[in-house]
Amino acid sequence: MEMPELAELIWLFEDEPQGEDEDVHWPVGLQSFQLTRGARSVLFSIDPAAGEAYISLYMNGEEITYIGRLWHLGRLSVERERSGYEGLRLWFREDCMEPVVLQTKPTIRLSWDVKSLGEL
């Protein structure tokens, strides 16, 4: 899987990755980044070797949505715009799947334009 540099992910999430096991460090195993903006927060977890990601969104500390085990990821890209927008786009290896977009600035938002079942 194509990944941004670790420094870019740290910049985007304003956080160092935390592994499930304290003895295992980036990029081995499941690593998690957390970010809070106002009442919203996100927990983004990635296993670079397996090409899997997990996203949880929280509002006032309560989980409001969870997308687990996004797999067959081919690429992650950090996006920055002059308007102040910052985010992460998760691209799947198959072209028939739309990318997942995790906006981190100016606010935290998650979007995924899922195609209808059976549509290729």
Side-chain angles (χ1 to χ4, degrees), residues 3 5 13 24 30 34-35 52-53 55-56 61 64-65 67 69 74 77-78 88 90 94 110 118 120:
M3 294 278 300
E5 294 291 324
F13 288 101
V24 178
L30 190 67
Q34 286 189 287
L35 175 68
E52 296 179 357
I55 303 170
S56 293
I64 57 172
T65 192
I67 299 178
R69 197 155 185 240
S77 59
V78 172
L88 182 68
L90 294 80
E94 295 84 20
L110 181 64
L120 296 177

Side-chain angles (χ1 to χ4, degrees), residues 1-2 46 50-53 70-76 90-93 100:
M1 172 171 53
E2 289 180 51
I46 181 86
E52 296 179 357
L70 293 165
W71 54 296
H72 290 284
L73 293 173
R75 176 170 58 103
L76 271 62
L90 294 80
W91 303 86
F92 293 92
R93 288 185 286 201
V100 175

Side-chain angles (χ1 to χ4, degrees), residues 18-77:
Q18 302 296 315
E20 285 182 311
D21 183 351
E22 291 180 13
D23 297 330
V24 178
H25 301 284
W26 184 266
V28 178
L30 190 67
Q31 302 286 327
S32 297
F33 297 87
Q34 286 189 287
L35 175 68
T36 300
R37 295 217 187 281
R40 297 182 186 191
S41 59
V42 61
L43 174 64
F44 174 73
S45 302
I46 181 86
D47 185 338
E52 296 179 357
Y54 304 81
I55 303 170
S56 293
L57 293 183
Y58 299 87
M59 179 70 79
N60 296 317
E62 280 191 51
E63 186 175 62
I64 57 172
T65 192
Y66 170 75
I67 299 178
R69 197 155 185 240
L70 293 165
W71 54 296
H72 290 284
L73 293 173
R75 176 170 58 103
L76 271 62
S77 59

